[in-house]
Amino acid sequence: EARPILPLTETSRFYWFGRPRFGVDRAGRVVYLADAGRLWAVSPSDGTRRSVVFHARVRMVIQSPLAPLEYSPQELEDSRPPRVVLDPILSPDGNTLVFEATGDLWMQSNNGKPARQLLAGTSFEWLASFSPDGQRVAFVQDLQGQQSLKILDRATGEDVTLLSGGRYVYPAWSPDGKRVIYTSPRGVEAVHLNDGGTEKLTDEPMARPHFSADGQYLYGTAGDAVYRLLLEGHGQPEPITRLAGSVSEAIVSPDGQWLVFGRDFGIWVARLGFGHIEETHIRQLSPEGEGDFSLSADGMAVVYAAGNHVWRQPLDGSAREELPVHLTLRHPAPPPVLLQGVRVLDFDSGTFNSESTLLIESGRIREVGAVGVRELPDSTVTLDAAGRFAIPGLFDMHVHAGGADLATLVAYGVTSVRDVGGGVRWLSALADRGESTNGPVPRLFYSGDVLGGQYSETDAEARDCVLRWKQGGAQFIKVYSTLPWPLRAAAVEEARLQGLPVVAHGTNIGEIVRGVNAGYISLEHTALSSRFYDDVHDLLAAAGTRWTPTLAVRGGNALLFRFEPERLTDSKLRAFFPEQRVRVAQSASWTRSVPDKVLNGLLVELLAGVSSAHESGVRLLAGTDVPICPECFTGASLHWELELLVRAGLTPLEVLRIATLDAAATVGAEDHLGSLQVGRLADIVLLDANPLEDIKNTQRIWRVIKDGWVFDPYSLVRGKALGRSK
């Protein structure tokens, strides 16, 4: 008969994150296990326990964390091509190229003239599709999370909204030009252009849905197979492939003779007519271009992007030709800004200076204190700070920016983010956007895709991924627990050879010790089932490995919402986030069934661990895991994380340093960001109250300055972002 023999500590009861391991002696009289940071011998008969004193001598060889890549911001006089071009398509006549760059759609003719932006404004546009006659372009627009399916008339330059308020991807035209199909969470649907009515074609969402040339069939990709659906009669999609490997996206040529699809970073092709397409029928057409390709109108060539180049590759395997991209990005020059009556945070003195002036020119801080007697340009913007408090722009050091609302980050004073897992090509496009516009886009420091087991099965493949990520623009590498340790070691070794720091999770002792030994620059998250003790903290401190505990994810935000529900009724929060987002935060967490007392006990122990780590000299970072964590709100959660760090015993000054100067050093930007000194980039948050007196005052934001451009946070509310220029 089963019976309990020993109550464990509160945090050990979170068994769904890992039960404590135990052993039994040969006689079955003693159970040995670890709990509360100690080793215990437990009697099964009566549950009594005694602490087992042990001594161990361990010798470890530890690699020092690799220094971050030095940040080199684009200066005003610089002009350069985009880092990356995405999703190129040719018009049916082959004379016009449309592609994505900087999160916008661009169009250029083959006459060599510069590309022009399809739409002006602050929205994102992507996934363009030419109508059969080439006179219209369907595309998806996103304005701070609000998506629309639109059509642009090339002759008039006018755009029309077909649908809005939902989620739309992969727009494509019917052969007669009377319908536009798209994929939504509900399946593949079509909108009729004559009356705006919609119809559902399949219940199964598909990647790249498209019609056959005669309009009788619908093709698309779902899972690892390509499907064909006979539209008349509304039957079920049938697979046309039986491949052992993956299929990311696929297109059937208009003549029905070719299947082109993405796999393993490249583009593959097969002739149709064999029945089901199997591995023996396919060949690689290009080792690059997966996900960023289309077919020419005649179906005889693939048009694809690699880096910032666009290529036309015939399906017969003959030599490719480059389609030159005529786009030059320039860093826009902000007007000079003179702040008057501002109190500037000085980390050296640990205080705010008395009221003075601060001059910004060319996006950098030029003078702090009394501005010299000289005539300023007529374009100078003068702001009376009226005694407000200036701190450096904040860093969120654990985000996934590809799915975050960038304008909201800026509205909450987050002017820089470290992205620890997202598509490297899209993040490069966002970095281009931040440097070539005056829009509300934070600076991005990014790893690119998380390097997990889905990408690598051999040492060579793991190393190849590191090289690809670096070529794509990654400034560090993020390895994931799904990558086996031997392959992880190969990836880490290659990263060191390439001069790239490595980041990984640190949610258990094994990950931490191995990560420190390997020389990771930082470890992310903390454990839920046990606390890290002094020996672990001493190890992190001695190695110089940073730690981002992401307390918000570990129950911190859930507890705030329970005991301070007004957090979710805050007027600024409600201005930036829809009601549905708030409901998700209240209902979607793993903490819903955890009693208040237990959740509070967990957080108290986590905060005690952070306090101990800080006292041991561990270099802490502040991060939130937005938008992955359902309880984390973009921008706002960073301020809550700062509150939790203060609750752990750190001073407001120490926390501000962690979120600014220390963060800048972690990404190699300490010479440009993190402090309000002459020569630094002008990323500044102006506060209505002193955060050294109460860390909550970081939330009382009056203005945000990023790269010398001034933003009123409330002007960035959904649909009302400030204009920008190229």
Side-chain angles (χ1 to χ4, degrees), residues 246-249 261-268 284-293 304-307 423-425 448-457 460-472:
S246 63
V247 176
S248 60
E249 296 179 3
F261 63 94
R263 171 192 284 185
D264 298 336
F265 309 113
I267 303 171
W268 296 69
Q284 188 179 64
L285 189 67
S286 167
E288 53 192 358
E290 178 188 18
D292 287 305
F293 68 90
Y304 71 92
V424 67
R425 291 175 59 74
D449 306 76
V450 173
L451 183 45
Q454 75 273 32
Y455 292 113
S456 307
E457 294 182 356
E461 289 175 344
R463 292 176 182 275
D464 181 59
C465 285
V466 172
L467 294 173
R468 288 179 180 275
W469 286 197
K470 182 180 181 180
Q471 292 168 359

Side-chain angles (χ1 to χ4, degrees), residues 41 71 128 143 159 169 245 282 324 341 370 425 449-450 466 470 479 490 493 497 554 630 651 670 720:
Y71 176 53
L143 182 59
D159 61 274
V169 290
I282 68 175
R425 291 175 59 74
D449 306 76
V450 173
V466 172
K470 182 180 181 180
V479 295
E493 183 180 25
L497 291 173
R554 296 327 205 200
T651 68
E670 65 269 35
K720 298 181 180 178

Side-chain angles (χ1 to χ4, degrees), residues 7-29:
L8 301 178
T9 57
E10 292 285 5
T11 54
S12 294
R13 286 155 61 178
F14 285 87
Y15 57 86
W16 52 88
F17 293 104
R19 298 177 177 86
R21 297 181 179 181
F22 63 90
V24 181
D25 70 346
R26 291 186 176 182
R29 297 176 179 176

Side-chain angles (χ1 to χ4, degrees), residues 107-145:
M107 180 181 291
Q108 71 175 44
S109 62
N110 61 3
N111 59 12
K113 291 184 178 180
R116 59 181 179 84
Q117 194 176 338
L118 210 64
L119 289 183
T122 61
S123 60
F124 291 85
E125 292 87 36
W126 55 68
L127 297 174
S129 175
F130 275 107
S131 61
D133 62 6
Q135 297 305 305
R136 293 168 293 173
V137 179
F139 61 95
V140 178
Q141 182 185 63
D142 187 295
L143 182 59
Q144 293 180 254

Side-chain angles (χ1 to χ4, degrees), residues 122-126 140-150 161 163-168 405 576 578 717-720:
T122 61
S123 60
F124 291 85
E125 292 87 36
W126 55 68
V140 178
Q141 182 185 63
D142 187 295
L143 182 59
Q144 293 180 254
Q146 183 78 14
Q147 284 193 4
S148 301
L149 181 63
K150 310 194 79 168
T161 300
L163 300 168
S164 63
R167 295 292 174 186
Y168 319 101
D405 187 340
F576 280 91
V717 173
R718 187 180 303 273
K720 298 181 180 178

